[in-house]
Amino acid sequence: EVQLVESGGGLVQAGGSLRLSCAASGFTVDDLEIGWFRQAPGKEREGVSCISSISSKDNITYYTDSVKGRFTISSDNAKNTVYLQMNSLTPEDTAVYYCTADGVVKVGACFGMEYWGKGTLVTVSS
C-alpha cells in the first residue's frame, strides 16, 4: 500500500524558510514521479514542484512560476523521503501542501498524480 506522510509545516514569518518532508512507503521514490501540490484558502489546487522518476532518466523538474528560484524539490532514496525546501516565503505561499506520487511530469506541467498525502499546513505571516 502506497502511503505518503508529510511533515514540516508550520507558522513562519515572511522571508523565512521551511523544509517540508514526505516519508514514502509502498514504493521507492526513485521509481515514480513525485511532486508537491498546494491549496490555499478559496483557491484551486496547484502543482508547486514535481520531478520525473529517477529510474525513467527523463530528468525533468517542474516548478510553478511563482516559486522558481525560491523552492527546491529533492529526494533521498536511502531514506525514501521527498523534500521541498522553501525559502523567501511570502504570505501568498500560505496553503496546505500535499505530497504526491505517480503521475505525469513534463516540461512546464505536472498533473494526474495518483497518490496523495493528507497535507501539511504552511502559514506565512506578514
Side-chain angles (χ1 to χ4, degrees), residues 68-89:
K68 286 179 180 177
R70 300 189 299 122
F71 290 12
T72 304
I73 188 172
S74 63
S75 64
D76 184 333
N77 187 59
K79 296 182 178 180
N80 216 35
T81 298
V82 180
Y83 302 99
L84 184 68
Q85 178 67 43
M86 306 186 296
N87 299 328
S88 302
L89 286 161

Side-chain angles (χ1 to χ4, degrees), residues 26-116:
F27 72 101
T28 301
V29 294
D30 280 0
D31 291 340
L32 294 179
E33 299 75 22
I34 53 176
W36 290 91
F37 282 65
R38 68 184 178 186
Q39 187 163 22
K43 295 187 177 180
E44 292 187 356
R45 190 168 57 194
E46 68 167 340
V48 176
S49 179
C50 299
I51 188 168
S52 56
S53 70
I54 305 299
S55 59
S56 75
K57 300 182 180 179
D58 288 341
N59 198 29
I60 298 172
T61 303
Y62 164 82
Y63 293 99
T64 192
D65 286 346
S66 63
V67 308
K68 286 179 180 177
R70 300 189 299 122
F71 290 12
T72 304
I73 188 172
S74 63
S75 64
D76 184 333
N77 187 59
K79 296 182 178 180
N80 216 35
T81 298
V82 180
Y83 302 99
L84 184 68
Q85 178 67 43
M86 306 186 296
N87 299 328
S88 302
L89 286 161
T90 74
E92 288 68 39
D93 295 315
T94 295
V96 177
Y97 284 72
Y98 298 92
C99 178
T100 69
D102 195 11
V104 178
V105 180
K106 298 182 178 181
V107 174
C110 170
F111 58 91
M113 302 309 245
E114 177 73 18
Y115 303 105
W116 292 71

